[in-house]
Amino acid sequence: MTALTKESDFTGGGFDVERIRTDFPILFREVYGKPLVYLDNGASAQKPRPVLDAIEHAYKMEYANVHRGLHYLSNTATQNYENARETVRRFLNAESADEIVFTRNLTEAVNLVASSFGMDFKAGDEIVLSIMEHHSNIVPWHFLRERKGCVIKWAPISDSGELLLDEFERLLSKRTRMVAITHMSNVLGTIVPIKEVVRIAHARGIPVLVDGAQAAVHLPIDVQELDCDFYGFTGHKTYGPSGIGVLYAKRKHLDAMPPYMGGGEMIESVHRDRVAYGKTPHKFEAGTPPIVQAVGLGAALDYMMQVGRGRIAAYEAGLKDYAHERLSGFNWLKIHGHAKDKGAIVSFSVEGLHPHDISTIIDRSGVAVRAGHHCAQPLMERLGVTATCRASFAMYNTRAEVDALAEALVKAHEFFA
Ligand SMILES: Cc1ncc(COP(=O)(O)O)c(C=O)c1O
């Protein structure tokens, strides 16, 4: 079957997962002689053929450095790179492509904001995070705590994994300089009501940064509707290549923020005694950028938009419900995270078994899940565990794969019982 090329490929049809699977060559390989059941999408998603093709074509036929040469290939590569920026703009519904900065990943996007926007934060200034954050949205703020004496405050969650909005609101003060919060927990799957968070923060004049690393692959995102100040995501989780991420920021912030890194391509002019920086977004993209990765990311986002993010979300919600149904049938297994609004991530613990052992055993049945603290140690402390197993789903996973997970877990449980 040929890869999807246009929206009309799906017109009139429902969500055809078998059709989608044919676009992901890796799904047809075996591991240990068993069909691959890839449920580690929260760590990184597999790539559809249009992405692989776009990357190959860019290297084979249209490769040169960008924003430098005046020759044909350089102009073509520059156009492709800037077209990818426009695709990201559409994906996020940003007002302008100038609000889109390419980074290496989500981690770099948060570091950029903490380092540049946070440059004038003072001792005693406060940063409010949720207890569900990934280390990528914690450690850059710890830098400000260590280097400037800023204070980090933690918004709590309920036992089912929902952000406690009233308590969050009570944490905000005259000293709060930033709220930095995940859109979707990479452990609990909780979808945070960002619009409400932004409304509460903005009522006090506090900017909001959203970590969309998980949300961007599962939900339609509209940064204008969310009204957030910053929104970041990472290419490799959205069916694109690694080595590229995105920072969206409102134009007024980008214009006011000092550059994060210095080097080629981010300047207007450089002299022995002075330097003038380029305009946004280029002043934040020092050095040769991830050129082909941007092209691959553009292809991945186009792919998601062609399939339809509403459709993806609806299909994945069914998968998540089915996974809950199957796994909650085991009285020796505990699911972490029962938020009403929850994406397709299911973390769990098995009585008497270390998550690493479970993961290693079910891997022999071809089932790939993640085990560990998921770079969310404050959340692990809140849950009273040191690690969990996590099955994280993508648009190409099936109910049969949920069954394979359940059967592999039963075998693992019996093995150790
Ligand atoms: C919620 C969340 N934030 C941030 C990250 C970091 O993404 P990256 O390593 O691509 O920067 C991840 C990756 O696991 C994540 O799940």
Side-chain angles (χ1 to χ4, degrees):
M1 185 151 315
T2 53
L4 287 168
T5 51
K6 54 187 197 302
E7 182 115 44
S8 58
D9 285 349
F10 279 95
T11 305
F15 185 91
D16 184 350
V17 68
E18 292 306 328
R19 166 75 197 277
I20 282 169
R21 287 177 71 80
T22 62
D23 285 335
F24 292 80
I26 202 168
L27 299 180
F28 295 90
R29 67 157 293 171
E30 295 189 335
V31 292
Y32 310 114
K34 310 259 171 44
L36 170 68
V37 176
Y38 187 76
L39 302 179
D40 194 19
N41 298 284
S44 209
Q46 301 299 346
K47 321 302 172 199
R49 209 173 285 137
V51 171
L52 304 174
D53 291 347
I55 291 170
E56 187 183 357
H57 182 75
Y59 274 126
K60 245 172 146 174
M61 301 302 293
E62 295 182 336
Y63 185 74
N65 211 330
V66 295
H67 293 302
R68 281 172 166 77
L70 293 173
H71 56 81
Y72 178 87
L73 273 185
S74 179
N75 288 337
T76 306
T78 302
Q79 194 57 55
N80 293 343
Y81 182 72
E82 292 304 324
N83 286 348
R85 199 189 304 276
E86 170 57 23
T87 303
V88 175
R89 185 204 67 72
R90 271 196 297 124
F91 183 78
L92 294 176
N93 193 32
E95 202 178 314
S96 158
D98 292 344
E99 296 173 315
I100 306 299
V101 178
F102 283 125
T103 60
R104 275 189 306 136
N105 45 35
L106 182 280
T107 303
E108 190 177 68
V110 179
N111 275 277
L112 191 163
V113 177
S115 161
S116 171
F117 191 83
M119 192 168 271
D120 70 344
F121 287 12
K122 305 272 185 301
D125 282 350
E126 295 167 358
I127 296 143
V128 173
L129 311 178
S130 91
I131 200 70
M132 289 182 282
E133 298 314 308
H134 186 282
H135 296 168
S136 297
N137 195 26
I138 298 175
V139 181
W141 307 110
H142 268 309
F143 286 175
L144 294 184
R145 184 188 58 75
E146 286 177 344
R147 295 169 190 177
K148 291 175 173 276
C150 293
V151 176
I152 298 177
K153 290 181 162 183
W154 299 90
I157 54 170
S158 67
D159 288 340
S160 59
E162 274 156 356
L163 182 75
L164 294 169
L165 273 174
D166 288 348
E167 302 213 18
F168 159 73
E169 187 164 7
R170 275 197 284 278
L171 291 177
L172 305 181
S173 79
K174 288 203 169 64
R175 295 303 304 265
T176 311
R177 300 292 303 272
M178 176 67 79
V179 169
I181 192 159
T182 189
H183 197 172
M184 178 173 159
S185 161
N186 65 316
V187 176
L188 304 174
T190 303
I191 296 169
V192 173
I194 293 296
K195 233 176 128 169
E196 191 58 9
V197 165
V198 170
R199 191 190 61 71
I200 292 168
H202 281 185
R204 291 159 179 78
I206 302 164
V208 178
L209 174 143
V210 182
D211 171 353
Q214 295 294 337
V217 68
H218 296 294
L219 307 173
I221 311 290
D222 183 334
V223 289
Q224 294 190 72
E225 202 200 334
L226 294 175
D227 197 27
C228 54
D229 297 85
F230 304 95
Y231 195 101
F233 70 96
T234 194
H236 66 97
K237 293 187 204 286
T238 51
Y239 307 106
S242 57
I244 181 126
V246 166
L247 172 68
Y248 155 82
K250 285 184 175 170
R251 181 72 192 250
K252 64 175 182 189
H253 294 313
L254 287 180
D255 284 345
M257 282 159 60
Y260 169 55
M261 289 201 290
E265 288 313 301
M266 50 76 72
I267 50 86
E268 202 174 274
S269 63
V270 179
H271 305 277
R272 276 179 284 188
D273 59 348
R274 65 189 188 282
V275 57
Y277 306 121
K279 294 194 185 342
T280 53
H282 305 287
K283 77 174 178 190
F284 295 104
E285 294 180 2
T288 298
I291 303 164
V292 175
Q293 289 88 337
V295 172
L297 176 63
L301 303 185
D302 265 336
Y303 185 86
M304 286 179 68
M305 290 190 276
Q306 284 164 14
V307 175
R309 283 173 291 168
R311 275 183 184 160
I312 295 171
Y315 175 75
E316 290 179 349
L319 266 186
K320 181 261 300 173
D321 288 346
Y322 185 58
H324 267 243
E325 190 186 314
R326 285 298 319 258
L327 300 192
S328 56
F330 303 140
N331 62 6
W332 36 265
L333 183 149
K334 177 180 178 181
I335 294 176
H336 301 284
H338 291 273
K340 254 199 239 114
D341 207 2
K342 168 169 174 158
I345 288 179
V346 182
S347 287
F348 55 90
S349 302
V350 172
E351 212 176 78
L353 278 184
H354 194 281
H356 288 167
D357 292 333
I358 300 168
S359 165
T360 306
I361 292 281
I362 70 175
D363 178 50
R364 303 302 295 195
S365 303
V367 181
V369 296
R370 170 103 186 259
H373 55 56
H374 313 291
C375 300
Q377 285 185 312
L379 176 61
M380 294 293 117
E381 283 166 16
R382 166 65 178 82
L383 298 176
V385 296
T386 52
T388 73
C389 267
R390 178 186 71 183
S392 49
F393 299 91
M395 67 164 104
Y396 44 66
N397 289 126
T398 64
R399 287 164 73 99
E401 290 182 312
V402 174
D403 291 336
L405 167 69
E407 283 154 25
L409 286 170
V410 169
K411 266 203 237 160
H413 184 250
E414 284 171 0
F415 182 81
F416 283 105

